[in-house]
Amino acid sequence: MINTTLKELLLQYNDIKKEITKVENTIKKLESKGYAKDCVETSMNKPPFEKVSLTITGINYEIMQKVEKYKNLKQARLNRLLDVKICIEEFIQQIPESRMRQIIEHKCFDGYSWQKIAYIVGGTENSVRMDYKRFFEKK
């Protein structure tokens, strides 16, 4: 019998992909935090002493340290998710039968119904479902 965690991971594949995207977006947003920006008005130091606006940018180190710590946590989570995704892809790649790879990919990655999978790979809804079930039972 196959390790149930691998089968469960296959069924979670789409959720894992969505979570990866969410974590990547969070990391991108964090990279812009911790910077302070302000606009000040001053005058030129030489005649005609016209008023000018300057933008001042700086770093809030206290916030930046917290942001960096949070970013590191998110990066660690992203790394774990990518490891799981790679593990799943390696498992699929090791399946020798093309038809079985397609059945698993369409069911677990694409979320297709058994009817749609049967139409794509050939066979009946029941035969495709039984092939899938037998594959995991014999592992």
Side-chain angles (χ1 to χ4, degrees):
M1 197 86 175
I2 193 167
N3 183 351
T4 55
T5 58
L6 181 58
K7 187 175 180 183
E8 289 168 7
L9 288 175
L10 281 168
L11 296 173
Q12 293 179 32
Y13 186 83
N14 282 327
D15 293 330
I16 290 169
K17 283 190 340 184
K18 288 175 191 171
E19 189 175 1
I20 287 171
T21 301
K22 184 176 184 253
V23 172
E24 287 173 337
N25 289 338
T26 300
I27 290 171
K28 284 179 187 171
K29 287 178 186 174
L30 287 172
E31 290 172 347
S32 65
K33 298 217 183 267
Y35 294 96
K37 197 180 215 184
D38 200 2
C39 189
V40 296
E41 289 187 351
T42 186
S43 64
M44 301 295 284
N45 60 358
K46 295 180 182 173
F49 304 110
E50 291 178 7
K51 192 185 331 181
V52 293
S53 294
L54 298 174
T55 301
I56 300 171
T57 306
I59 296 174
N60 183 328
Y61 287 104
E62 187 178 329
I63 292 175
M64 194 59 117
Q65 286 175 331
K66 291 176 184 177
V67 166
E68 197 60 36
K69 185 175 182 180
Y70 186 63
K71 183 178 161 188
N72 289 340
L73 289 171
K74 289 293 186 182
Q75 190 63 51
R77 182 173 169 191
L78 178 62
N79 290 339
R80 285 192 309 275
L81 288 167
L82 290 172
D83 286 344
V84 171
K85 187 176 176 186
I86 289 168
C87 178
I88 292 168
E89 294 286 351
E90 288 173 345
F91 171 75
I92 296 294
Q93 186 140 353
Q94 292 175 7
I95 299 172
E97 304 89 15
S98 172
R99 185 173 191 272
M100 197 68 241
R101 279 194 308 273
Q102 291 178 66
I103 291 171
I104 292 172
E105 285 180 344
H106 288 311
K107 186 64 182 169
C108 300
F109 295 5
D110 304 327
Y112 289 172
S113 67
W114 293 119
Q115 183 179 15
K116 188 169 185 174
I117 296 168
Y119 176 78
I120 293 169
V121 300
T124 66
E125 186 177 334
N126 284 336
S127 70
V128 170
R129 183 178 23 245
M130 288 307 295
D131 288 346
Y132 179 86
K133 183 179 175 187
R134 285 188 199 115
F135 176 80
F136 285 105
E137 285 175 350
K138 75 178 182 179
K139 291 286 176 195

